[in-house]
Amino acid sequence: MSEEELDLNTLNDEELVEQMHDDLYDGLAEEIDVGTRILLDRDWTATEVLEKALVEGMRIVGIDFRDGILFVPEVLLAANAMKAGMAILRPLLAETGAESIGKIVIGTVKGDIHDIGKNLVGMMLEGAGFEVIDLGINTDVEEFLNALEEHSPDILGMSALLTTTMPYMKVVIDTLEEKGIRDDYIVLVGGAPLNEEFGEAIGATAYCRDAAIAAETAKRLVMERRGAA
Ligand code: B1M
């Protein structure tokens, strides 16, 4: 059967997820849109679709990107397809009846244009009841500082996907120290090349391995801080 003739509805769950990994790899946004909707219709939770179909698909793309099998234009298409799925999941992940439990300003740091992980963290935090102010990509220290002043959040969140951009997180934290405002905020950092030790070394409050952990950590730290106050 050719790609055009393939009816995704005829596939069982396992086949569909595999097909979605292929479609993500091939940057087929429309197919990812359809596949995401089918899985949700089959009573998959938004988190299951996200983890098993989309994030796993992007992990495979990342391996071939690293190995020089895929190049930037293809990976951009894959990212675009991933975003098509995320757009459907967003309202489901962000569904919450609760009042806002806190505010976070979040951005991908200067020099870095990767935003899929940061967007996911934003969605999960919205789902956990946070108001999210997203500064986007390539965010410099001035932009972070202006947003902190304007929005007075509980949390500053920074994302970096490159070993060359992760040190910029320290630039931001050091600037907060210099201005005497570091302790006014919980600082969460994350991104594929980071780890716990790095988070500690740059003076972040916490490193978060993934979006779900970011949401849990954010909630816990805000509650602790309120309790202490
Ligand atoms: Co880029 N890229 N990329 N890329 N890219 C990586 C990161 C890389 C690991 C690929 C590889 O070699 N295997 C590699 C970095 C190597 C390194 O530094 N050690 C790399 C490179 C080299 C580059 C370029 C330099 C390539 C080039 O131009 N030659 C270039 C840099 C551009 C720049 O930023 N200045 C580049 C460009 C791109 C694209 C534009 C093509 C595209 C980005 C599109 C977009 O984001 N809109 C892209 C992509 C898609 C990737 C990979 C394949 C996938 C990243 C992703 O979206 N993952 C990536 C390989 C990989 O990571 N496996 C790669 C899915 C996402 C859900 O996971 O972002 O890790 P992640 O987020 C997770 C956690 O990390 C965490 O939670 C998220 C959800 O669970 N998390 C946080 C993230 N931020 C957090 C913040 C928190 C808490 C948790 O608190 C605030």
Side-chain angles (χ1 to χ4, degrees), residues 62 65-66 75 111 113-117 159 161-163 190-192 208 210-211:
F65 188 29
R66 179 196 63 204
V75 179
I113 62 168
H114 296 85
D115 67 354
I116 294 175
S159 178
L161 264 286
L162 299 171
T163 45
C208 306
D210 62 33

Side-chain angles (χ1 to χ4, degrees), residues 14-15 19-20 28 30-31 48 54 67 75 104 112 116 121 131 140 155 186 188-189 195 208 217:
E14 201 179 317
E15 290 165 344
Q19 184 61 43
M20 285 175 73
L28 302 175
E30 216 179 302
E31 281 72 3
E48 281 171 333
L54 303 183
D67 295 343
V75 179
I104 176 167
D112 201 320
I116 294 175
V121 172
E131 184 186 339
D140 69 18
I155 306 176
I186 293 162
L188 299 184
V189 295
N195 58 29
C208 306
T217 310

Side-chain angles (χ1 to χ4, degrees), residues 40 44-55 89 92-93 120 124 212:
L40 290 174
W44 280 47
T45 65
T47 310
E48 281 171 333
V49 180
L50 180 67
E51 292 298 331
K52 294 185 182 157
L54 303 183
V55 172
L89 299 180
L92 302 172
L93 291 170
L120 262 179
M124 290 292 211

Side-chain angles (χ1 to χ4, degrees), residues 135-158:
L135 304 181
I137 54 173
N138 195 23
T139 311
D140 69 18
V141 66
E142 285 305 316
E143 290 170 278
F144 279 120
L145 286 175
N146 290 341
L148 293 179
E149 194 172 331
E150 185 184 343
H151 301 286
S152 305
D154 304 279
I155 306 176
L156 165 65
M158 291 185 280

